[in-house]
Amino acid sequence: MAGEKNKHKSIRGHLPDLIYTRDFDQYSTNHIRDHGMETEDGKRVLWWMVFRKLYPITDLIGKQFWRVFWECFRCHLHLWRDGIRHCDISVSNLMYDKVHDRGVLNDFDLAQLRGRLPPSGMERTGTMPFMALDLLRGPPTWHGHVEREYRHDAESFAWVLLWICCGYQDGVEIRPRPRPLQDLIQHDFQATYEKKLARVRKLGPKYLTPTASYSQKYYNVAVNLLYFYDDRHGASVKRKLRLIRDSGTKGNSAQLDSSESERIELADIDAELELWRKELKRPSVHVDI
């Protein structure tokens, strides 16, 4: 019961507050077809939604920023456990509710439900500068053909933390350009992958430092986690190449039933959280996730 109570506390109030909606069915794809114009399969309707105003998490500094960042992290975690995969963690999707003084996980346009295929036209897999390295490498991932795992979004949180610590001062983006990490903004997946792979090997004080608005200890959390993800990505690439060489295939394609797949996914989440907890249990940055 305590676990369920904490879960609902971590989600309730940390999602966008929908105030008003309206459908414009006259602009639906069904209506377009009625006039003899071809469209893709399925139906799409223009939907107008009004939400309570939110503010960027980058407006915040110091301990307030640190608290709100982890409120968004916990909300994301519990949603994922319940089968709702956000799939687009970025700086612009971590928001702040000024009225209630709390973090809000925003923008579920690319979200997926466990066990369901994403709708057609949803091949894009996230905001490139913050995407996990594993999702940027190779055409199958570029077109959304690799199943999203919790660790992918967790890695995105680490990239977001690094981006904010190095790129914002007193709630304002550092100017003039080029700002720190500006090189991660590229025109395609391959270019982004190469820049991120190079950057993750240059994260020490010689190359990057946090601004005065963000503690060195916050920056260190992001750096240490990204070092781990880089090591794991390298091991993953070598393992896939070895499988292809030894068997001539891309691995085991056996299908699991939904209950077994869910059990494995929840176990993977727990394993990922242990990595984060080891980094966050230090007295200087202690965070309970």
Side-chain angles (χ1 to χ4, degrees), residues 61-68 213 217-218:
I61 63 174
K63 292 182 179 179
Q64 187 183 30
F65 161 78
W66 196 236
R67 172 178 57 81
V68 168
S213 294
K217 59 192 178 184
Y218 303 165

Side-chain angles (χ1 to χ4, degrees), residues 130-142:
F130 309 106
M131 286 172 60
L133 289 168
D134 283 351
L135 293 178
L136 291 169
R137 184 180 181 275
T141 61
W142 303 342

